[in-house]
Amino acid sequence: MTNPFEILEARLINIERLLIELKQFQHEQIAQKKSEELLSVKEAASLLNVAVQTMYGYVHRRENSGI
């Protein structure tokens, strides 16, 4: 006869594994969504370490920042 506590332990281990996988999947989805978001002009300027006016100049002249 199988020990019921062993069955419970195995099922709890399985539930724990599934929860860890679900949490990891959720983190991956959040990271993917963030990477797909557009930056504001201010955020892009900060990322490139240039002034906002410089960013507008690049856009006006259809230039890139050399990156």
Side-chain angles (χ1 to χ4, degrees):
M1 188 168 167
T2 305
N3 184 341
F5 292 106
E6 289 176 358
I7 294 170
L8 284 173
E9 182 179 16
R11 293 184 75 183
L12 286 172
I13 290 169
N14 190 44
I15 290 169
E16 183 179 33
R17 182 185 54 80
L18 290 171
L19 287 171
I20 290 169
E21 288 176 8
L22 181 60
K23 187 175 181 179
Q24 182 179 7
F25 178 76
Q26 184 181 28
H27 284 291
E28 290 170 358
Q29 292 296 316
I30 291 170
Q32 181 180 3
K33 182 180 177 189
K34 284 186 176 187
S35 71
E36 294 174 354
E37 292 177 5
L38 297 177
L39 299 175
S40 69
V41 174
K42 187 175 181 178
E43 292 169 329
S46 176
L47 183 66
L48 296 172
N49 200 26
V50 298
V52 172
Q53 294 82 358
T54 303
M55 290 297 295
Y56 281 116
Y58 291 149
V59 172
H60 178 73
R61 292 184 305 274
R62 295 183 183 197
E63 294 179 12
N64 64 39
S65 65
I67 294 177

